[in-house]
Amino acid sequence: MSELSELIERRFGERLEADLPPDSVPTLRRMLARGVRRAFLDKPVEPALLRTLCAAALASPTKSDLQQGDIVIVNDQARRAAIFATIPDHPWLAAAPVFMVFLGNNRRQRQIHAWRGKPFANDHLDPFFNAAVDSAIVMATFIAAAEAVGLGCCPISQIRNHVRTVSDALELPAHVFPVAGLAVGWPARDGELSLRLPLDVRVHVDHFDEADLPARIDAYDRRRAAVQPYRRQRDEARFGRVDAYGWSEDKARQYANAERADFGAYVRGQGFKLD
């Protein structure tokens, strides 16, 4: 059994053997073995390297060549402190050599319409959606590029918990919004490989299929708990303690608490119509 097959089986619980071009194996191995990194060496990331990785990220696919995913490299300590203050449960962020924020930018497209004297005829949900997807693709591509040179990364979606504070810290104008942050640095230790839902839950053929989903989720809960048990049960004071605490129980408890209820208002405040 190949190393790639072992990684797939470990992460997804399914054994696969594919005939792969040899030069693709290192990239796939890195992707299948990746784990989140939250501890970094006290070692800078050279600006030229960081800019090269940004170039690789911005070479990614983009909707209709509109190029609506932007990057802010946050070096200024006051701006970083303002953002990190909104995420107090991540004190390790302050030690990250690089902190970036990935943006959706539909502003530039609107500016081009004004400069070229053309109507902006699609002022509805789609511009926001396209810019958000472009930004997510740019971030995912940046992570792949960064890990290819040995860097570690940790996405930070919690910057949207207090999105107005983050937006103000970055001086974002109308029709520009933060999608996620990213901590980057030379890893101080190996990342932990998180077990994922089985492929047959997330990969559909010909039509959407959720047959036997409760049983499949239950099996995943048991498999993951056997290998990666949660160190604590979320919000015990509210929900109590259970004997079988798995992924689905943790995610249900997590989203039983309201958060980012103001994000829609923020997006509208940035000038987007979400019809």
Side-chain angles (χ1 to χ4, degrees):
M1 188 175 182
S2 71
E3 182 182 1
L4 292 187
S5 296
E6 290 175 358
L7 287 168
I8 292 170
E9 184 171 27
R10 180 182 171 193
R11 197 185 280 273
F12 297 99
E14 179 176 332
R15 183 169 297 189
L16 291 172
E17 285 285 355
D19 186 15
L20 300 168
D23 59 357
S24 71
V25 172
T27 297
L28 292 174
R29 181 193 301 117
R30 185 168 54 248
M31 296 175 75
L32 287 164
R34 76 166 308 274
V36 69
R37 308 296 179 93
R38 296 188 178 92
F40 304 105
L41 299 175
D42 185 14
K43 176 183 175 182
V45 178
E46 291 299 322
L49 172 58
L50 188 59
R51 202 161 183 84
T52 298
L53 297 174
C54 288
L58 294 171
S60 58
T62 172
K63 191 268 186 235
S64 298
D65 197 22
L66 296 180
Q67 305 181 57
Q68 296 183 104
D70 285 12
I71 304 168
V72 179
I73 302 168
V74 189
N75 291 326
D76 182 79
Q77 290 302 314
R79 296 179 196 269
R80 283 174 60 124
I83 295 170
F84 295 164
T86 71
I87 319 170
D89 56 341
H90 286 345
W92 58 269
L93 267 174
V98 175
F99 183 73
M100 316 169 74
V101 177
F102 290 78
L103 308 174
N105 179 0
N106 181 243
R107 177 181 181 83
R108 193 161 45 236
Q109 182 67 29
R110 294 169 188 260
Q111 290 171 317
I112 290 170
H113 281 252
W115 300 334
R116 297 298 181 186
K118 303 296 188 297
F120 190 84
N122 293 284
D123 201 4
H124 42 68
L125 174 63
D126 205 46
F128 170 76
F129 183 80
N130 287 334
V133 171
D134 258 22
S135 178
I137 292 172
V138 169
M139 184 174 72
T141 307
F142 182 93
I143 291 171
E147 292 180 344
V149 301
L151 289 163
C153 303
C154 182
I156 309 292
S157 66
Q158 284 175 281
I159 65 166
R160 298 196 305 276
N161 286 8
H162 299 278
V163 67
R164 175 48 66 189
T165 299
V166 173
S167 186
D168 289 348
L170 299 178
E171 301 181 42
L172 302 185
H175 301 110
V176 181
F177 58 95
V179 171
L182 189 71
V184 183
W186 303 104
R189 56 176 179 264
D190 290 340
E192 183 179 9
L193 187 153
S194 295
L195 273 61
R196 298 297 197 211
L197 287 162
L199 295 175
D200 61 10
V201 170
R202 299 175 68 187
V203 179
H204 309 267
V205 179
D206 291 331
H207 66 95
F208 186 82
D209 180 10
E210 54 184 16
D212 302 320
L213 184 59
R216 294 182 187 185
I217 297 293
D218 185 59
Y220 169 68
D221 280 343
R222 294 195 303 271
R223 185 171 73 88
R224 180 161 171 167
V227 178
Q228 293 176 312
Y230 284 92
R231 289 187 289 271
R232 62 178 180 84
Q233 296 193 11
R234 193 187 296 265
D235 209 348
E236 280 191 49
R238 181 180 178 189
F239 297 111
R241 188 169 184 83
V242 297
D243 292 334
Y245 189 88
W247 172 84
S248 61
E249 176 69 19
D250 186 76
K251 297 306 116 185
R253 293 187 181 201
Q254 178 179 349
Y255 263 63
N257 293 300
E259 59 180 22
R260 302 174 196 165
D262 62 344
F263 188 63
Y266 164 77
V267 170
R268 291 182 179 89
Q270 289 297 95
F272 286 98
K273 298 177 182 177
L274 303 183
D275 304 325

